[in-house]
Amino acid sequence: MAPRCWRWWPWSAWPRTRLPPSESTQSFRQQLSTQEQTPQICVVGSGPAGFYTAQHLLKHPRAHVDIYEKQLVPFGLVRFGVAPDHPEVKNVINTFTRTAHSDRCAFHGNVVVGRDVTVQELRDAYHAVVLSYGAEDHRGLEIPGEELPGVLSARAFVGWYNGLPENRKMAPDLSCDTAVVLGQGNVALDVARILLTPPEYLEVLLLCQKTDITEAALGALRQSQVKTVWIVGRRGPLQVAFTIKELREMIQLPGTRPILDPADFLGLQDRIKEAPRPRKRLMELLLRAAVEKPGVAEAARRAPAPRAWGLRFLRSPQRVLPSPDGRRVAGIRLAVTRLEGVGEATRAVPTGDLEDLPCGLVLSSIGYKSCPIDPSVPFDPKLGVIPNMEGRVVDVPGLYCSGWVKRGPTGVITTTMTDSFVTGQILLQDLKAGLLPSGPRPGYAAIKALLGSRGVWPVSFSDWEKLDAEEVSRGQGAGKPREKLLDPQEMLRLLGR
């Protein structure tokens, strides 16, 4: 008799009895449903912090990210803050564009959060909200005379030559011989460099299609009479906030020569021995420029230079001095300071001595600051940041922040990238841990209805690409990579709004 063989039946053929689901089974199904739903997340601000945050959030396989921006155009300080002779820095826009092209990401420009839609309305529509709107204002000097014509914030000056719509009507008077920049950070060196760049060098940049400076700014700089720029700081050489790249550019700027007092650097060589490598390299370059005799070629380059720049240390602004008729700036009064404390605690205190520095233009570059966006969002006015723990807004579950509004206006684009990735990672961890609202959220569908009822016309990324094409087309006629559109009303007309 042949041996009996077992026959394997498919699982689907076996009879099954329906049993009532246990509590553990129900819990598992609910968990599975929560995991499979689409997390709706929005980011407020489309600068580096906003786009880098969105980029990290999209690592979640189902998350949908909406980016809201008050300007009609994206990219924030990459478009409006990077110096126009640094086109390579703007290459990061290519990365942001790839993020915006994701089918799980959408850009909504021309929407002012806090006015057109509240943060609470966003929180009701999304599982999580990230505030990445940056530092949109400048720190005032808070000294007599700062309201005089000829006193400008460096932020507004940068916005003017970079095509920020709110600064498009600014008309700085560049007919003076001497300008003073208050502050010794990268922005201070940027505005000093732009003021001193020879017109012929600007023309070379144009011929090479390496600048998108606005035509209005280019015309004004061609006629500029500024020959000397003093860059003033209240502390000493060891405390400067600019980086070696910006300093090297100033030293090598065509048609200019540095004015540095060797006495300002006495003993510096010994003090920098234990400094971190980036700071040590910066100080060594500054020392060489101030103390060492230039070589034959460099001396020959500097000798005929019609323009000059200099660093003034241990000086704090006290008063803007008016012209005899009181109609514009004629100089600035500085308090001479000395340093007290060591390391990070070093501070400048007045000695009692004063010094008047004649000038016809004062640019304040003592820092940017963030502003409150909505009454429902906690804000620390002293520090100028949203109180947070690793990007989680204090006492407001589901609300996060990244970038300058999170940590203060410091660092460069790569610093912001790292910081934004941290916030994105924390948010995704909270999502995975079930700390965010469960159940579906309507996302942009709800916000779109609200904006429509309030007469707000959002601008999509495809709309931006139409404006981008128009800017590129206009720039071709002038031999530039683009000619920026400055008027929001004109932009809306071009989009048929």
Side-chain angles (χ1 to χ4, degrees):
M1 180 175 173
R4 179 181 295 178
C5 297
W6 289 99
R7 182 175 180 183
W8 293 97
W9 291 86
W11 173 253
S12 58
W14 284 82
R16 282 174 291 174
T17 304
R18 289 187 177 272
L19 299 175
S22 65
E23 289 185 9
S24 61
T25 304
Q26 287 178 326
S27 174
F28 174 76
R29 288 177 178 173
Q30 288 174 353
Q31 183 180 359
L32 187 63
S33 175
T34 300
Q35 289 174 344
E36 289 181 345
Q37 73 182 12
T38 299
Q40 297 284 346
I41 306 170
C42 83
V43 174
V44 179
S46 70
F51 265 105
Y52 279 129
T53 302
Q55 180 182 326
H56 195 85
L57 292 173
L58 290 171
K59 291 180 180 294
H60 187 288
R62 288 176 298 279
H64 181 92
V65 181
D66 288 319
I67 302 175
Y68 291 92
E69 168 60 53
K70 74 171 187 176
Q71 301 288 343
L72 276 77
V73 299
F75 309 133
L77 281 181
V78 178
R79 176 178 168 94
F80 296 122
V82 173
D85 57 346
H86 286 172
E88 71 286 351
V89 179
K90 300 186 181 186
N91 289 337
V92 72
I93 285 176
N94 298 329
T95 300
F96 298 162
T97 297
R98 286 194 294 272
T99 298
H101 282 162
S102 166
D103 57 7
R104 293 186 290 114
C105 183
F107 170 80
H108 308 290
N110 197 35
V111 178
V112 182
V113 174
R115 185 194 70 186
D116 300 333
V117 61
T118 67
V119 170
Q120 185 58 54
E121 287 168 336
L122 291 176
R123 293 181 63 209
D124 291 340
Y126 292 89
H127 291 98
V129 175
V130 186
L131 301 175
S132 306
Y133 60 87
E136 299 178 303
D137 203 356
H138 70 281
R139 297 188 183 277
L141 292 171
E142 298 180 357
I143 60 174
E146 70 173 310
E147 75 287 345
L148 283 168
V151 181
L152 305 170
S153 75
R155 178 188 181 279
F157 189 71
V158 170
W160 167 69
Y161 62 61
N162 269 335
L164 184 61
E166 65 191 64
N167 299 129
R168 69 185 188 279
K169 294 182 179 180
M170 195 174 80
D173 185 350
L174 306 181
S175 61
C176 61
D177 176 81
T178 302
V180 169
V181 181
L182 300 172
Q184 293 183 332
N186 280 345
V187 174
L189 263 61
D190 277 349
V191 297
R193 190 180 67 256
I194 294 299
L195 279 170
L196 292 173
T197 297
E200 59 271 21
Y201 185 64
L202 288 173
E203 302 301 335
V204 170
L205 289 176
L206 276 177
L207 288 172
C208 298
Q209 291 199 353
K210 290 189 176 297
T211 180
D212 59 3
I213 191 168
T214 67
E215 189 57 40
L218 190 58
L221 290 168
R222 284 184 180 123
Q223 303 299 318
S224 173
Q225 300 300 307
V226 176
K227 297 293 187 292
T228 303
V229 177
W230 290 107
I231 305 163
V232 179
R234 58 188 174 86
R235 297 193 292 173
L238 273 173
Q239 289 78 39
V240 297
F242 50 74
T243 55
I244 193 169
K245 176 179 182 291
E246 278 69 25
L247 176 61
R248 187 177 291 113
E249 285 181 320
M250 287 300 298
I251 293 172
Q252 298 173 352
L253 187 63
T256 66
R257 54 190 172 83
I259 306 173
L260 300 170
D261 186 351
D264 289 333
F265 302 88
L266 291 175
L268 189 62
Q269 184 69 58
D270 293 331
R271 283 181 284 165
I272 65 175
K273 288 180 179 178
E274 303 302 321
R277 188 170 182 271
R279 174 63 51 170
K280 185 177 180 181
R281 290 177 60 237
L282 171 64
M283 290 300 105
E284 287 172 345
L285 177 59
L286 197 51
L287 268 171
R288 287 197 299 271
V291 177
E292 293 182 6
K293 184 178 180 180
V296 175
E298 179 63 11
R301 184 188 74 82
R302 292 182 186 180
R307 297 174 177 80
W309 61 275
L311 295 170
R312 301 291 286 270
F313 300 106
L314 302 173
R315 301 291 188 272
S316 178
Q318 298 297 297
R319 175 185 294 272
V320 178
L321 304 174
S323 58
D325 60 9
R327 293 184 177 179
R328 63 169 295 107
V329 59
I332 188 159
R333 180 160 295 162
L334 303 169
V336 180
T337 63
R338 68 173 185 275
L339 297 181
E340 290 185 354
V342 295
E344 294 296 322
T346 302
R347 61 192 186 95
V349 297
T351 64
D353 294 333
L354 297 173
E355 176 181 286
D356 289 350
L357 184 58
C359 62
L361 178 66
V362 173
L363 291 166
S364 170
S365 184
I366 59 173
Y368 289 55
K369 68 176 183 179
S370 298
C371 300
I373 192 172
D374 189 287
S376 69
V377 179
F379 190 80
D380 184 331
K382 184 176 181 180
L383 297 178
V385 298
I386 294 174
N388 70 93
M389 296 292 290
E390 294 186 302
R392 298 182 183 97
V393 176
V394 173
D395 296 329
V396 190
L399 189 61
Y400 301 80
C401 57
S402 67
W404 282 2
V405 77
K406 170 186 173 183
R407 71 178 192 277
T410 59
V412 293
I413 290 177
T414 52
T415 317
T416 296
M417 177 184 69
T418 303
D419 166 85
S420 302
F421 285 175
V422 169
T423 292
Q425 183 178 8
I426 291 293
L427 193 159
L428 292 182
Q429 287 175 0
D430 290 352
L431 178 64
K432 184 177 181 180
L435 300 178
L436 298 181
S438 60
R441 289 291 173 102
Y444 182 62
I447 302 304
K448 181 180 180 181
L450 284 175
L451 296 175
S453 69
R454 295 165 186 173
V456 179
W457 296 92
V459 171
S460 68
F461 201 79
S462 61
D463 288 333
W464 149 244
E465 290 180 319
K466 294 174 186 175
L467 298 176
D468 178 41
E470 176 66 21
E471 289 186 345
V472 171
S473 175
R474 294 186 182 190
Q476 287 176 346
K480 298 167 63 178
R482 71 178 59 247
E483 184 62 49
K484 289 178 179 174
L485 297 165
L486 307 180
D487 185 352
Q489 295 304 314
E490 182 187 9
M491 295 185 208
L492 290 173
R493 284 195 301 270
L494 288 169
L495 295 174
R497 304 288 173 83

